[in-house]
């Protein structure tokens, strides 16, 4: 055990203060890949944008299975990216979208300190953004909003602000305002500093856009404003919004009740730098995490962290898994010995990886807010706490309600043991959840997933890794609620139409519903039952 010197303590503080760990939440096609790439470009981690997109494009030109494999591959390599911008280190965590939208996408938000909500300016709030927003809100994460694609026609900034406020019930306060839109989009007006940021597009945004900043009283401003379709309307808007902006509620922002809004075009690099700089100023550094022994602040001198994602390699020849850890406190050093609080076992952490820009590297040292990948010979589970000193458990990561459910039908009923082993291991990775019709697990098993790809992957892996051929028959339920409260009433649910009573892996009762209507009916009829969209958040108990 090492004791930390005062010099090391001050470097710990400095490293914590420098870090920003966040995720971008958006609906597919809003421009998350493009924005991520542009952030890397501005951070100097890449020199010419276009490479991440090229990889992404390649993944669509494949057969079904290859697509799954590639998507999993891509998810591994982009689980978390670290890069520096001036004095800061940023960690961007990927929230997989498209077909690989899964519980991982939700769980990623357990490991970040803030969120960037990215919207397509022509579309506003879309379903996947809404789902992720709800998870961010549950965690009270601070949210900054970037409205993308302002270079497209038909973007109405005021409508977008009211869409955010109405749909998400969060106050939306613009920090900058588009100067022109569509093909006439020139730049953004910084509402705090009262200056115009004007850009020239550069060859499809492969390099930083050249930017000119003009103060409000600059003689050139007149010409810029005259080029707008309605100069006086723009000036009225600026006057109105500048007034509103004087009372920004920082506390409300940190608690996720107010979101600052920025406009731009990720493709053309318009509005990126002003957004990035304000993000660094506003987004909080690594926070304290709750444990069963009280809050663990990031500057506590000993390393601790938790597993928020487990990624298995799809290649059956190499069954290696990686566990992704969020560092919560202290300094991580490769080769250090830690206790896995869930098993009580001591582990030496030597096989470590981190993704820096586009490079995959061995991690020698990491600080609170950083994400490290650990080679996992099957010893980790989602939610495990690793401690350098003492033994404590961080709050458990809840399970989120799946949206697709299927009954598992074995082709060979004698393979039930294999099936259970396979399902246990695959649910530990967190891609699927397993429910049983009876607490003892003797009757049929039902699997649930958030995305369709997970069920395809499940079937494939059962067959290829566990030698179990199974059919997955869809059952027509689309949401689950964990139940608490009156046991008699909970039992009575089993006779209700359009509702199925099942048990999760900890034999906690869960009800599956066919639709929103069925859920509402039951909620009204059984007031003594508590209905929860996620499994109760608990401290992980030890496992042998
Ligand atoms: P995603 O990761 O959120 O799914 O979105 P992605 O970045 O892949 O962007 C989706 C599409 O939107 C891409 O077009 C991308 O070029 C475009 N896009 C991103 N930002 C902007 C923007 O600020 N303005 C405009 N006009 N378009 C933007 P694509 O045609 O699907 O791909 P590509 O041919 O451009 O590569």
């Amino acid at each position: 055990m090492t004791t930390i010197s005062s010099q090391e303590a001050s470097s710990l503080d400095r490293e914590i203060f420098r870090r920003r760990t966040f995720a971008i939440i958006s609906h597919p096609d809003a421009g998350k890949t493009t924005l991520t790439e542009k952030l890397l470009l501005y951070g100097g981690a890449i020199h010419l944008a276009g490479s991440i997109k090229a990889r992404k494009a390649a993944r669509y030109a494949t057969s079904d299975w290859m697509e799954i494999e590639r998507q999993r591959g891509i998810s591994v390599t982009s689980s978390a990216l670290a890069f520096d911008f001036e004095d800061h280190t940023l960690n961007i965590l990927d929230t997989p979208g498209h077909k690989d939208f899964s519980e991982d996408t939700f769980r990623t938000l357990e490991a970040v300190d803030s969120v960037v909500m990215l919207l397509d300016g022509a579309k506003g709030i879309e379903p996947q953004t809404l789902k992720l927003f709800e998870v961010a809100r549950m965690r009270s994460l601070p949210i900054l909003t970037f409205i993308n694609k302002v270079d497209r026609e038909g973007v109405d900034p005021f409508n977008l602000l009211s869409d955010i406020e109405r749909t998400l019930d969060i106050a939306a306060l613009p920090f900058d305002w588009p100067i022109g839109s569509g093909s006439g989009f020139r730049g953004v007006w910084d509402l705090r500093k009262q200056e115009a940021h004007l850009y020239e597009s550069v060859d499809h945004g492969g390099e930083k856009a050249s930017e000119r900043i003009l103060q409000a009283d600059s003689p050139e401003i007149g010409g810029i404003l005259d080029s707008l379709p309605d100069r006086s309307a723009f000036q009225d808007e600026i006057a109105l919004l500048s007034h509103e902006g004087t009372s920004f509620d920082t506390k409300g922002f940190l608690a996720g009740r107010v979101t600052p809004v920025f406009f731009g075009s990720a493709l053309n690099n318009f509005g990126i730098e002003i957004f990035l700089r304000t993000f660094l100023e506003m987004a909080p550094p690594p926070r304290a995490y709750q444990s069963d022994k009280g809050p663990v602040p990031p500057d506590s001198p000993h390393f601790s962290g938790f597993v928020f994602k487990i990624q298995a390699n799809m290649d059956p020849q190499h069954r290696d898994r990686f566990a992704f850890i969020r560092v919560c406190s202290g300094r991580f050093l490769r080769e250090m010995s830690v206790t896995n609080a869930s098993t009580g076992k001591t582990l030496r952490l030597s096989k470590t990886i981190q993704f820096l820009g586009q490079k995959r590297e061995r991690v020698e040292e990491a600080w609170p807010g950083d994400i490290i990948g650990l080679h996992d010979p099957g010893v980790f589970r989602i939610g495990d706490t690793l401690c350098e000193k003492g033994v404590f458990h961080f709050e458990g990561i809840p399970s989120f309600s799946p949206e697709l459910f299927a009954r598992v039908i074995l082709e060979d009923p004698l393979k039930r043991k294999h099936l259970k082993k396979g399902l246990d291991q695959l649910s530990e990775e967190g891609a699927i959840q397993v429910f049983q019709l009876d607490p003892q697990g003797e009757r049929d098993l039902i699997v649930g997933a958030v995305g369709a790809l997970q069920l395809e992957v499940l079937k494939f892996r059962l067959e290829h890794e566990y030698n179990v051929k199974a059919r997955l028959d869809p059952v027509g339920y689309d949401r689950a609620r964990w139940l608490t409260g009156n046991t008699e009433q909970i039992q009575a649910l089993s006779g209700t139409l359009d509702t199925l009573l099942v048990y999760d892996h900890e034999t906690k009762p869960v009800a599956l519903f066919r639709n929103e209507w069925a859920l509402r009916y039951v909620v009204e009829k059984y007031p003594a039952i508590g209905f929860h969209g996620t499994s109760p958040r608990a401290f992980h108990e030890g496992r042998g």
Side-chain angles (χ1 to χ4, degrees):
M1 182 79 51
T2 47
T3 41
I4 198 159
S5 69
S6 62
Q7 201 182 356
E8 282 170 329
S10 75
S11 73
L12 177 60
D13 286 343
R14 205 172 46 243
E15 294 297 338
I16 293 167
F17 191 68
R18 277 172 10 90
R19 275 172 170 70
R20 300 289 182 274
T21 299
F22 68 105
I24 303 175
I25 61 172
S26 62
H27 193 80
D29 277 340
K32 180 168 60 108
T33 315
T34 313
L35 180 65
T36 305
E37 187 158 69
K38 298 310 166 71
L39 295 176
L40 293 178
L41 179 74
Y42 277 80
I46 55 172
H47 296 293
L48 198 63
S51 34
I52 295 185
K53 283 215 63 78
R55 273 197 299 162
K56 186 176 160 181
R59 80 184 195 194
Y60 292 106
T62 52
S63 69
D64 271 350
W65 163 240
M66 280 296 285
E67 185 186 15
I68 295 174
E69 194 173 34
R70 271 175 189 274
Q71 292 211 13
R72 303 280 289 190
I74 295 268
S75 301
V76 172
T77 52
S78 60
S79 287
L81 287 167
F83 70 95
D84 289 334
F85 181 77
E86 295 173 354
D87 291 338
H88 287 93
T89 292
L90 291 91
N91 293 300
I92 309 187
L93 274 61
D94 191 24
T95 50
H98 288 279
K99 270 182 97 188
D100 51 1
F101 187 76
S102 70
E103 260 204 277
D104 271 352
T105 313
F106 293 141
R107 278 191 294 251
T108 295
L109 299 182
E110 301 286 328
V112 300
D113 302 303
S114 60
V115 156
V116 171
M117 178 165 74
L118 176 74
L119 305 180
D120 178 332
K123 297 191 175 149
I125 307 286
E126 297 177 85
Q128 201 157 297
T129 322
L130 180 61
K131 279 190 208 168
L132 287 162
F133 173 86
E134 281 167 356
V135 178
R137 154 148 308 163
M138 207 170 75
R139 306 288 296 120
S140 303
L141 289 166
I143 298 165
L144 291 96
T145 302
F146 186 86
I147 296 185
N148 192 28
K149 305 198 187 183
V150 180
D151 60 309
R152 289 238 171 114
E153 303 301 328
V155 175
D156 181 334
F158 280 112
N159 270 352
L160 286 161
L161 293 180
S162 60
D163 185 25
I164 297 172
E165 297 206 329
R166 228 187 17 246
T167 316
L168 306 181
D169 191 23
I170 186 172
L173 202 78
F175 271 45
D176 63 24
W177 198 246
I179 304 174
S181 68
S183 54
F185 182 39
R186 305 285 305 273
V188 293
W189 187 275
D190 183 334
L191 290 164
R192 291 188 307 165
K193 295 191 183 150
Q194 294 303 332
E195 56 191 25
H197 291 237
L198 302 166
Y199 307 94
E200 300 289 335
S201 0
V202 203
D203 186 25
H204 229 56
E207 291 165 27
K208 290 187 192 181
S210 74
E211 180 179 19
R212 267 190 322 145
I213 300 178
L214 299 178
Q215 308 303 317
D217 55 4
S218 149
E220 282 177 77
I221 282 283
I224 304 288
L225 297 182
D226 282 340
S227 71
L228 296 174
D230 189 342
R231 172 182 175 144
S232 72
F234 177 80
Q235 283 176 307
D236 289 349
E237 286 166 11
I238 294 297
L240 172 79
L241 296 165
S242 306
H243 182 67
E244 279 185 7
T246 49
S247 54
F248 186 69
D249 173 7
T250 307
K251 255 192 176 164
F253 160 69
L254 290 173
R257 294 193 304 269
V258 183
T259 181
V261 179
F262 301 79
F263 292 85
S265 162
L267 187 63
N268 298 301
N269 305 347
F270 282 27
I272 303 288
E273 191 159 345
I274 172 172
F275 169 69
L276 179 56
R277 287 185 187 282
T278 321
F279 169 80
L280 291 172
E281 194 187 304
M282 298 184 70
R287 59 189 155 121
Y289 273 86
Q290 238 357 284
S291 83
D292 57 350
K293 305 258 166 77
V296 179
D299 60 353
S300 123
H302 301 285
F303 162 77
S304 69
F306 67 90
V307 178
F308 68 95
K309 174 166 176 156
I310 289 179
Q311 185 81 54
N313 195 326
M314 287 299 294
D315 181 351
Q317 308 301 317
H318 304 96
R319 276 198 211 159
D320 55 343
R321 308 205 302 186
F322 279 98
F324 287 88
I325 317 281
R326 146 97 192 202
V327 180
C328 296
S329 69
R331 177 191 186 197
F332 169 84
L333 283 174
R334 200 169 70 81
E335 299 291 0
M336 88 190 317
S337 290
V338 300
T339 306
N340 181 345
S342 304
T343 58
K345 294 206 171 101
T346 303
L347 307 160
R348 197 183 171 94
L349 305 178
S350 42
K351 289 191 181 169
T352 58
I353 51 162
Q354 190 181 31
F355 301 97
L356 292 165
Q358 289 170 309
K359 293 184 299 241
R360 175 176 162 152
E361 290 186 352
R362 194 158 79 178
V363 188
E364 297 295 342
E365 180 184 68
W367 303 91
D370 286 345
I371 307 303
I372 42 184
L374 293 175
H375 184 258
D376 174 19
V379 297
F380 295 118
R381 284 193 198 168
I382 303 263
D384 280 1
T385 300
L386 305 183
C387 321
E388 184 191 0
K389 187 178 178 212
V391 175
F392 55 85
H393 301 263
F394 285 117
E395 255 183 2
I397 298 184
S399 301
F400 294 88
S401 171
E403 291 170 17
L404 299 160
F405 298 87
R407 197 180 288 258
V408 188
I409 312 284
L410 271 176
E411 280 189 14
D412 175 358
L414 296 177
K415 287 262 167 99
R416 194 174 164 90
K417 252 191 167 167
H418 288 75
L419 172 72
K420 278 204 114 177
K421 182 171 170 222
L423 289 180
D424 275 351
Q425 291 190 353
L426 296 173
S427 67
E428 271 166 30
E429 281 174 24
I432 49 142
Q433 291 179 49
V434 181
F435 300 98
Q436 44 205 43
L437 285 170
D438 55 331
Q440 297 72 32
E442 281 161 10
R443 292 167 55 204
D444 276 358
L445 297 172
I446 289 180
V447 289
V450 172
L453 182 69
Q454 272 61 47
L455 292 182
E456 281 173 51
V457 169
L458 169 68
K459 194 164 172 315
F460 184 91
R461 290 186 62 187
L462 280 177
E463 191 170 334
H464 290 84
E465 292 176 29
Y466 299 93
N467 200 17
V468 175
K469 279 202 174 156
R471 228 174 53 225
L472 298 180
D473 282 0
V475 286
Y477 301 94
D478 73 356
R479 65 202 68 203
R481 290 292 178 270
W482 277 262
L483 309 170
T484 51
N486 186 297
T487 318
E488 254 170 53
Q489 287 205 357
I490 290 179
Q491 289 307 325
L493 282 182
S494 58
T496 314
L497 196 67
D498 292 336
T499 304
L500 184 69
L501 183 64
V502 294
Y503 298 86
D504 74 1
H505 66 289
E506 290 174 359
T507 61
K508 291 195 179 106
V510 177
L512 310 186
F513 298 94
R514 281 203 195 278
N515 47 42
E516 177 69 31
W517 184 87
L519 169 62
R520 267 201 238 143
Y521 171 79
V522 167
V523 168
E524 265 176 37
K525 189 165 173 207
Y526 296 97
I529 302 181
F531 296 86
H532 313 274
T534 55
S535 64
R537 182 182 279 278
F539 295 104
H540 270 258
E541 284 153 27
R543 58 173 199 272

